[in-house]
Amino acid sequence: MALTAALAGIVALPLAHADTRACRRQAVSNVETIIGVGVRWNKACQSIGFPAIILDSPPANGFICIRLGAVKPHSILRGNADHCLRVPMQGAQIVYRSRPGFDGADSVAYTLKFPRVEQSYNVGIKVHAPAGAPAAPNAGFGLERQRPGPAPECTALVS
């Protein structure tokens, strides 16, 4: 039987949908920051995939995307595989990047949807612009705010 896990301060939860979890993160303006992860694993601590990641309320001053990569789960939503916590495995990284030059508070709400359970998060993000960094309005971003729905994959930056 597969076990399910996700990062961001979750404890074992027997319900199909738990209360929304609140988290805080810090980011540097216009720099990619991992704000959460999602991964599923088996009893041998091997990744067997990742959850669907749905943006409930996208950030007003940035963008969220998903990148597959190495993650270390820190908590479990369902099951009892504590021995797998903090074991590196392949999973989904939830990446935030602010608009260039943005300095201030931003937030995002998203839900991890696993086959048998889902967990919602509200993440407050404090964004700091480096001193003297010039703003490059909308570089790499459209003018519109990101829309709710499935989080897109991150695209490679091309220079």
Side-chain angles (χ1 to χ4, degrees):
M1 182 173 169
L3 299 174
T4 307
L7 175 76
I10 303 172
V11 295
L13 299 169
L15 303 175
H17 181 75
D19 293 329
T20 299
R21 302 290 180 193
C23 309
R24 293 184 190 177
R25 300 288 185 263
Q26 291 194 19
V28 175
S29 182
N30 198 31
V31 173
E32 290 186 350
T33 302
I34 297 171
I35 63 167
V37 303
V39 63
R40 298 178 61 218
W41 66 80
N42 61 22
K43 292 179 182 179
C45 303
Q46 298 168 329
S47 175
I48 58 170
F50 57 94
I53 301 163
I54 307 299
L55 290 176
D56 302 317
S57 178
N61 298 292
F63 188 79
I64 295 291
C65 64
I66 306 305
R67 176 177 293 120
L68 298 183
V71 301
K72 291 182 182 179
H74 290 187
S75 56
I76 298 172
L77 281 175
R78 185 168 187 213
N80 57 1
D82 291 350
H83 65 284
C84 295
L85 294 177
R86 302 196 195 295
V87 173
M89 60 185 78
Q90 191 74 359
Q93 301 169 344
I94 302 165
V95 178
Y96 169 84
R97 185 173 187 160
S98 77
R99 294 186 185 278
F102 176 72
D103 187 281
D106 206 354
S107 64
V108 61
Y110 66 88
T111 299
L112 300 179
K113 292 190 175 199
F114 295 93
R116 296 184 184 157
V117 67
E118 60 184 53
Q119 178 63 56
S120 294
Y121 296 88
N122 284 331
V123 182
I125 305 165
K126 175 63 180 159
V127 181
H128 302 279
N138 299 310
F141 292 94
L143 297 175
E144 292 184 27
R145 181 176 178 181
Q146 189 174 14
R147 293 192 172 153
E153 289 185 33
C154 298
T155 57
L157 294 176
V158 178
S159 55

